[in-house]
Amino acid sequence: RAMVAVAYSAMLRRSELVALEVRDLAFDTDGSGTATVKYSKTDQDAEGHVRYLAPFAVVALNAWLKEAKIDAGCLFRRVLHNETVGEKPLTDHEVARIFKRLAGRVDAGGLGVAGIAGHSTRIGAAHDLVEAGFDVAAIANAGGWKSLMMPNYYTRELRAKQSAMAQLIRRRKDQQ
């Protein structure tokens, strides 16, 4: 739960998610927080980028840290066969498998999990931001994209439905 919540809220790539450490976190009195991504695909010089953690992500993360007895080092670690938490971080490939497995558990409607991947939380967050009316530049900033190309690509269908023409047709329909 914590991994999905943090990945979504901070719009993290799989590699950024598994690289997070306890020291990268900061929690605020309003229940939210931040996570500092020290290195990423778009930050090869390791300048760092601070991402937002929503209160629901902070709650899930604190529950995980308490249950796993983690107070330093990597956040997301392997759970061993004896149900203890190991010292080594998960790999980015394991994130995709975990997300797919979790999606299978909640797929009561039979929607299928074939399309679920390690990037699904990142793309889903971009979709949610478009639906809430945020522009692509704000989405790119929140997700750590250096250009608008990928958030534009990920949200192209949703943005078409919010285009000027789509708005005009809806207004005309409402006026009838």
Side-chain angles (χ1 to χ4, degrees):
R1 186 176 306 148
M3 208 166 56
V4 171
V6 169
Y8 173 84
S9 175
M11 299 181 73
L12 296 173
R13 294 173 181 88
R14 296 178 309 177
S15 60
E16 295 167 345
L17 183 64
V18 297
L20 285 177
E21 296 183 1
V22 173
R23 67 181 178 188
D24 301 328
L25 304 174
F27 301 118
D28 297 324
T29 56
D30 68 355
S32 69
T34 59
T36 300
V37 177
K38 297 179 297 266
Y39 175 85
S40 73
K41 183 169 91 171
T42 58
D43 183 14
Q44 300 287 310
D45 297 326
E47 293 174 14
H49 191 264
V50 179
R51 304 280 183 84
Y52 176 72
L53 293 173
F56 68 84
V58 171
V59 168
L61 185 54
N62 280 325
W64 161 249
L65 293 172
K66 182 179 177 184
E67 181 69 26
K69 299 177 178 72
I70 296 172
D71 56 11
C74 57
L75 292 181
F76 299 113
R77 305 172 184 194
R78 297 176 180 159
V79 176
L80 306 174
H81 293 293
N82 63 2
E83 296 191 17
T84 61
V85 176
E87 291 295 318
K88 292 185 178 182
L90 293 170
T91 67
D92 60 341
H93 298 293
E94 289 170 310
V95 170
R97 286 194 294 270
I98 291 167
F99 283 7
K100 194 172 284 276
R101 189 171 60 240
L102 290 173
R105 288 183 186 170
V106 298
D107 188 22
L111 299 173
V113 296
I116 300 295
H119 231 48
S120 293
T121 52
R122 186 167 164 79
I123 295 169
H127 283 197
D128 289 348
L129 289 169
V130 165
E131 287 179 341
F134 292 94
D135 65 33
V136 176
I139 295 167
N141 183 54
W145 283 285
K146 279 202 169 181
S147 83
L148 303 182
M149 188 176 78
M150 291 313 294
N152 265 322
Y153 176 75
Y154 291 144
T155 62
R156 63 194 179 279
E157 290 91 4
L158 289 170
R159 287 182 302 97
K161 293 178 181 180
Q162 293 181 349
S163 68
M165 182 54 71
Q167 291 177 49
L168 173 66
I169 299 303
R170 283 193 295 273
R171 283 182 193 164
R172 285 183 177 170
K173 183 180 175 186
D174 291 343
Q175 290 173 355
Q176 293 177 354

